[in-house]
Amino acid sequence: KAGVTQTPRYLIKTRGQQVTLSCSPISGHRSVSWYQQTPGQGLQFLFEYFSETQRNKGNFPGRFSGRQFSNSRSEMNVSTLELGDSALYLCASSLKTGLGSGNTIYFGEGSWLTVV
Amino acid sequence: GQQVMQIPQYQHVQEGEDFTTYCNSSTTLSNIQWYKQRPGGHPVFLIQLVKSGEVKKQKRLTFQFGEAKKNSSLHITATQTTDVGTYFCAGVRASNYQLIWGAGTKLIIKP
């Protein structure tokens, strides 16, 4: 079956602009989570959505927001972009929320955002 | 911030040498997962450990989960160039099922 699909793969934005990234999870998966990864850094958790509800949120400013649609597809938005927002944004899907036993995460290939 | 300490941040080895990365949590974990991210790629699930003291092997990779379910390790025997990448642990807190990630250990093969 198809994996996690993220669009766009690469984009360049200017400081102050906003950006919307899209993620289509694996068919049947209802949980979508978003991560930011900067060069040399680990995975910084942004938020998780399950059944259109935000279930968990990381320590990011309010400029970072997301939503999930009834078909489980998710979008994340970053407003008023800053240079430090340049990163790889990874989307991951899983069957269930809470990531308890047996709940493996499947990552998409990511969206590379460069802010200039 | 990171709530699972993963060390070392980098490890340089000669091809054929062994590699080990460790994860330590301040809280008890219900399970721990390991992921590998190749350079330029995305994290890919390797394995999940659930039981106290569990040891699992995948060819040259050995994964361990501590008796207290607070620490875990990944050991690679006789590294090969295909092992290059960053290895992440991700633990699930037993108290609230929150997923917490280690910062990753980057395996670099010396030329």
Side-chain angles (χ1 to χ4, degrees):
Chain A
K1 53 184 174 183
V4 180
T5 305
Q6 289 188 248
T7 56
R9 291 293 319 281
Y10 305 92
L11 67 165
I12 300 174
K13 290 286 188 177
T14 305
R15 263 187 312 177
Q17 286 186 315
Q18 70 157 9
V19 66
T20 299
L21 308 177
S22 180
C23 173
S24 293
I26 291 172
S27 177
H29 284 194
R30 296 168 63 190
S31 170
V32 174
S33 48
W34 289 89
Y35 294 83
Q36 181 196 66
Q37 188 174 38
T38 49
Q41 297 296 311
L43 293 159
Q44 303 296 321
F45 173 72
L46 281 157
F47 26 66
E48 181 201 3
Y49 286 87
F50 182 84
S51 294
E52 302 177 68
T53 303
Q54 189 179 86
R55 293 301 178 99
N56 289 293
K57 190 175 189 302
N59 296 323
F60 278 81
R63 299 186 296 109
F64 293 80
S65 62
R67 58 178 176 168
Q68 187 180 34
F69 303 95
S70 58
N71 62 358
S72 293
R73 191 177 69 84
S74 177
E75 289 181 346
M76 70 161 280
N77 183 274
V78 188
S79 62
T80 320
L81 283 165
E82 301 175 359
L83 295 178
D85 296 332
S86 295
L88 174 66
Y89 289 89
L90 290 161
C91 168
S93 79
S94 58
L95 271 173
K96 296 177 285 189
T97 187
L99 298 158
S101 180
N103 206 25
T104 305
I105 305 170
Y106 298 88
F107 284 88
E109 295 192 2
S111 294
W112 287 95
L113 170 65
T114 302
V115 182
V116 297
Chain B
Q2 301 295 345
Q3 295 165 297
V4 171
M5 181 67 67
Q6 186 172 0
I7 57 170
Q9 188 176 4
Y10 301 94
Q11 189 165 2
H12 295 75
V13 300
Q14 298 278 6
E15 189 173 2
E17 291 183 336
D18 293 354
F19 161 85
T20 305
T21 174
Y22 302 89
C23 284
N24 292 290
S25 169
S26 56
T27 59
T28 303
L29 304 171
S30 69
N31 67 81
I32 193 160
Q33 299 175 357
W34 285 90
Y35 293 79
K36 176 184 178 182
Q37 184 175 22
R38 293 180 187 272
H42 59 280
V44 174
F45 173 79
L46 292 176
I47 207 161
Q48 177 175 260
L49 304 170
V50 179
K51 299 176 185 174
S52 168
E54 188 169 15
V55 178
K56 286 188 177 180
K57 293 190 175 185
Q58 288 181 348
K59 297 182 180 178
R60 294 177 295 104
L61 278 62
T62 302
F63 303 84
Q64 293 189 319
F65 200 11
E67 293 289 342
K69 300 185 76 173
K70 288 185 175 182
N71 57 73
S72 182
S73 65
L74 157 60
H75 180 82
I76 303 178
T77 305
T79 54
Q80 299 175 359
T81 55
T82 53
D83 296 326
V84 163
T86 302
Y87 293 84
F88 293 95
C89 63
V92 177
R93 274 182 166 172
S95 58
N96 60 6
Y97 287 99
Q98 182 184 11
L99 186 69
I100 44 178
W101 289 84
T105 296
K106 191 171 184 177
L107 169 58
I108 300 162
I109 303 282
K110 297 176 190 175

